[in-house]
Amino acid sequence: MAAVKIVNFVKRFGEVTAVNNLNLEIYEGEIFGLLGPNGSGKSTTLLTIATVYKPTSGDIYVFEHSVSREGDTVRKFVGIAFQEPKAMWVDTPYELLLWHAMIVGYTSHEAKNVVKETMERLNLWEHRKKQFYQLSGGTRKKLEIAKVMIQRPRLAIFDEPTAQVDVITKHALWDVVREMRDNGSTVIVATNDMFEAEKICERIAIMYRGELRTLGSVKELKDQVPGGDVVEVSFEGDREEAKDALLKLDGIGRYMLGNDKIVAYLNKGEERAAEIVSALMSAGIKVKRIMVQEPTLDDVFFYFTGARLGEG
Amino acid sequence: MEVRDQVRGCLLIAYRDLLRFWKFKHWLFSQIVMNLADVVIFALVFNNIVNRQYIPDYVKFMSTGVLAVSVFASSFSIAREVGAEIRREVVQYLLTLPTSRNAVIAGRIIGGTLRGLIYQTAFIALNLAVVGIPSPKQSVIILYTSFMLAAAMSALAIAITTSTRDFNLQATFRALTYYMLFFFSNVFYPREVLALRFPGALATIVTHTPISLAAEVYRWSFGYSEYINPTALYELTLWAFTLLVTASLLYRRNISGR
């Protein structure tokens, strides 16, 4: 059974189309990444899954229940950590989490225990009596994550969970996400951090300007990028001759030329490394080092969206 | 969703608003002082100025009037937080909780109502000391009146404040409604004086607004006046239900219509 099935989903705010005809399925028990820059429609999609927004057309089904018609049922399954933590300035972390624990079904006694345990796990206990406005951005983020940890929903949604947090906390939060999946939750992580998506997500959908551009596992997506392997050759010799020798080979797509280095994008880079070395040596170029790398998720993103650096 | 879950959700939402109520204790204190100042300054100063033919004891008259204002003002106060939650999108959090929209709406209105009733306690004590002791039956009527007024005012204030996300508009709408209801009432002047100052129809309308009706009930219940409009409680009930239903529907549309 699909944990989430999105069918022809369109969401408009006035004249602005935030999401346009989105179709995808998220499988039960996976960590699914929704990847895209700000304004790509990720948060709108997540907020509709969580029943905050209603679809303009189409529908979203959470464990086969429609968000349009069965919102009360859908909310029983869903827990969300918002991109911007939601609290009033006078609230304290302990009060917020205690109340949250009770509203999601714990008794008062159980709530106290689970809140203490969760706050200690996330190093929030020392901040429990501070007012919300006194908390750092990272602590506020952890507070949002703590809500979902306490709730243990069947569908856990994390919207930009590690934005504004330090490296140590980032790794700890990734562990939390994996742990939730291991304990039976389906997890959706929205992020614009390619490294994060690659690190924790099993499948990824790339959204751009409200539309789905591609969907698959990290490996599948990388394999779809033509000229996707990166071959970096350090050399001694004339750079123009090195370039000419390289371009005589078939299947060289893009390349970047430095004074003593050339970077080429091509398919099956490992298999063709020897051919490249041979071509350069035949042209009198001394090869000092050769490295073959997989494309990064950044390359995948730019390929599928057609976006350019600096357009953000 | 089971009824039990809905009731639990509703009560927890009301509990959340009550917890917040205590956090604004300094604001609360200043509000109480302001309302008490109405009694002390206005009533004591004007007691010997006003025409005793119309108002035999202005202190007692104002004390009972301020009792209506107090429940009205404090119930209205929940709208400040509801408005801030709309602006800061905290309301999105409430909308994702495993409870129904009806529970959220009812919980907030109950929260506002309870805040109104708690706030009013100080002024009830004042009226007991200054005006008189009501009979058991009158005490029940006082409680009923306060509950109806507080519920109606909370619902109205919440509906108004959620109609826009713009802070300036929120504040303007709230203030306009507040002052319309406050000034077009018999809190400061009795029906006879209003009839002298306002054109006929308007004076009649003013005496049938929720604040005026509540003030009239309080004046009779605490023994300030012997006369009460026999339909005052029914009218107040009708006002309360009309405002509750209309405001609840508006609030629902405002928070979940996107």
Side-chain angles (χ1 to χ4, degrees):
Chain A
M1 177 173 54
V4 179
K5 187 174 182 182
I6 301 177
V7 184
N8 302 327
F9 168 54
V10 176
K11 182 64 193 174
R12 291 194 193 94
F13 296 101
E15 297 295 309
V16 179
T17 302
V19 181
N20 190 22
N21 200 34
L22 182 64
N23 287 280
L24 63 87
E25 281 189 29
I26 297 168
Y27 306 135
E28 195 166 2
E30 73 174 332
I31 301 178
F32 186 86
L34 212 47
L35 194 64
N38 297 334
S40 59
K42 306 186 302 286
S43 293
T44 302
T45 304
L46 297 184
L47 288 173
T48 311
I49 293 172
T51 77
V52 174
Y53 297 147
K54 289 178 182 168
T56 305
S57 65
D59 208 344
I60 298 178
Y61 300 88
V62 177
F63 297 109
E64 300 185 333
H65 295 279
S66 156
V67 297
S68 304
R69 297 185 304 276
E70 301 168 273
D72 289 356
T73 309
V74 168
R75 280 191 294 279
K76 285 184 184 172
F77 301 128
V78 180
I80 180 167
F82 290 94
Q83 183 179 352
E84 293 293 330
K86 309 291 183 197
M88 297 288 278
W89 64 98
V90 288
D91 297 330
T92 69
Y94 184 74
E95 289 165 348
L96 280 169
L97 293 180
L98 192 65
W99 186 82
H100 181 79
M102 289 196 286
I103 196 91
V104 300
Y106 291 94
T107 63
S108 174
H109 177 70
E110 289 168 343
K112 283 176 187 162
N113 289 337
V114 75
V115 166
K116 186 167 191 289
E117 188 183 301
T118 309
M119 291 187 92
E120 283 175 345
R121 163 87 196 273
L122 294 177
N123 296 322
L124 282 170
W125 188 245
E126 63 186 293
H127 303 293
R128 66 190 180 281
K129 290 180 182 170
K130 288 181 182 169
Q131 290 191 313
F132 187 73
Y133 74 89
Q134 296 172 309
L135 303 175
S136 67
T139 307
R140 291 179 186 190
K141 274 283 185 194
K142 285 201 265 185
L143 198 54
E144 278 298 305
I145 307 283
K147 284 182 188 168
V148 181
M149 285 173 72
I150 288 168
Q151 190 173 348
R152 295 176 190 160
R154 269 181 86 183
L155 178 64
I157 298 173
F158 297 92
D159 194 357
E160 312 259 353
T162 58
Q164 301 175 42
V165 304
D166 59 68
V167 178
I168 297 168
T169 308
K170 194 178 273 194
H171 282 266
L173 295 181
W174 287 343
D175 286 341
V176 167
V177 169
R178 291 191 194 99
E179 206 175 282
M180 292 208 69
R181 186 270 319 273
D182 294 343
N183 289 332
S185 294
T186 303
V187 181
I188 306 176
V189 179
T191 181
N192 55 26
D193 181 343
M194 307 293 169
F195 181 67
E196 177 169 80
E198 192 160 2
K199 198 82 181 164
I200 58 173
C201 299
E202 286 145 359
R203 285 196 314 140
I204 289 167
I206 293 181
M207 290 185 73
Y208 189 60
R209 295 184 174 169
E211 292 182 350
L212 177 68
R213 295 303 174 95
T214 190
L215 172 69
S217 68
V218 174
K219 185 174 184 318
E220 283 167 354
L221 296 186
K222 286 179 175 177
D223 286 349
Q224 286 176 47
V225 179
D229 283 350
V230 184
V231 178
E232 186 180 309
V233 185
S234 300
F235 62 86
E236 271 179 26
D238 187 89
R239 62 198 290 265
E240 289 303 319
E241 284 181 11
K243 183 187 81 173
D244 292 342
L246 187 75
L247 290 179
K248 280 179 189 163
L249 299 172
D250 292 334
I252 303 294
R254 293 172 293 150
Y255 69 94
M256 288 191 297
L257 185 63
N259 284 332
D260 58 355
K261 189 163 71 177
I262 191 162
V263 179
Y265 295 85
L266 71 168
N267 286 329
K268 299 177 181 173
E270 282 182 13
E271 293 171 24
R272 299 194 63 195
E275 188 187 343
I276 291 169
V277 172
S278 169
L280 289 170
M281 289 176 71
S282 302
I285 305 292
K286 184 182 173 190
V287 175
K288 286 160 60 182
R289 194 178 64 170
I290 183 162
M291 280 196 326
V292 181
Q293 295 171 319
E294 276 195 330
T296 64
L297 211 46
D298 284 358
D299 297 314
V300 174
F301 174 77
F302 285 116
Y303 173 74
F304 280 106
T305 61
R308 291 170 194 282
L309 285 174
E311 77 170 49
Chain B
M1 197 169 281
E2 287 177 23
V3 175
R4 191 173 142 270
D5 291 339
Q6 293 225 35
V7 171
R8 187 171 186 273
C10 167
L11 292 177
L12 279 166
I13 295 211
Y15 171 65
R16 175 175 175 266
D17 281 327
L18 274 184
L19 285 179
R20 285 247 183 89
F21 194 42
W22 302 121
K23 299 209 168 202
F24 298 110
K25 48 185 175 290
H26 302 296
W27 178 83
L28 267 176
F29 179 73
S30 65
Q31 282 290 305
I32 290 174
V33 168
M34 269 173 59
N35 285 159
L36 282 174
D38 286 339
V39 179
V40 175
I41 298 170
F42 270 88
L44 288 179
V45 170
F46 285 94
N47 198 25
N48 295 319
I49 299 174
V50 295
N51 188 336
R52 288 191 183 264
Q53 182 192 339
Y54 295 120
I55 312 174
D57 188 328
Y58 200 56
V59 173
K60 290 182 179 179
F61 182 83
M62 271 297 287
S63 296
T64 43
V66 166
L67 189 59
V69 172
S70 68
V71 72
F72 159 66
S74 56
S75 303
F76 233 75
S77 76
I78 194 170
R80 283 187 329 141
E81 282 154 65
V82 172
E85 286 191 354
I86 289 267
R87 291 195 304 279
R88 291 161 193 262
E89 297 182 332
V90 179
V91 70
Q92 290 183 350
Y93 167 60
L94 293 179
L95 296 179
T96 61
L97 293 170
T99 189
S100 69
R101 295 284 185 268
N102 289 337
V104 172
I105 293 162
R108 299 229 80 168
I109 293 172
I110 291 171
T113 305
L114 292 174
R115 288 162 69 139
L117 294 176
I118 291 167
Y119 182 87
Q120 199 194 29
T121 312
F123 295 92
I124 287 187
L126 175 78
N127 275 273
L128 289 172
V130 173
V131 188
I133 310 290
S135 68
K137 183 186 165 193
Q138 285 169 322
S139 299
V140 172
I141 289 173
I142 289 170
L143 193 63
Y144 176 80
T145 302
S146 296
F147 185 81
M148 283 294 158
L149 185 64
M153 291 303 117
S154 295
L156 180 65
I158 289 169
I160 289 168
T161 209
T162 52
S163 61
T164 173
R165 292 157 67 93
D166 183 303
F167 171 73
N168 289 321
L169 285 177
Q170 281 181 354
T172 307
F173 289 165
R174 276 205 310 272
L176 275 176
T177 314
Y178 184 94
Y179 288 111
M180 288 269 287
L181 287 168
F182 182 55
F183 284 114
F184 288 102
S185 74
N186 61 9
V187 167
F188 292 108
Y189 313 104
R191 180 199 303 258
E192 295 79 6
V193 174
L194 292 171
L196 292 173
R197 297 292 172 216
F198 286 121
L202 189 56
T204 307
I205 291 169
V206 167
T207 54
H208 292 276
T209 61
I211 311 297
S212 298
L213 291 164
E216 185 160 352
V217 174
Y218 291 140
R219 282 174 184 140
W220 173 77
S221 301
F222 280 97
Y224 169 78
S225 61
E226 292 175 5
Y227 170 82
I228 182 171
N229 170 5
T231 61
L233 266 185
Y234 297 113
E235 285 181 52
L236 184 65
T237 306
L238 188 64
W239 265 113
F241 276 104
T242 307
L243 286 173
L244 269 173
V245 171
T246 312
S248 300
L249 290 173
L250 279 172
Y251 182 32
R252 187 185 180 93
R253 193 206 67 176
N254 293 344
I255 59 172
S256 55
R258 296 186 83 195

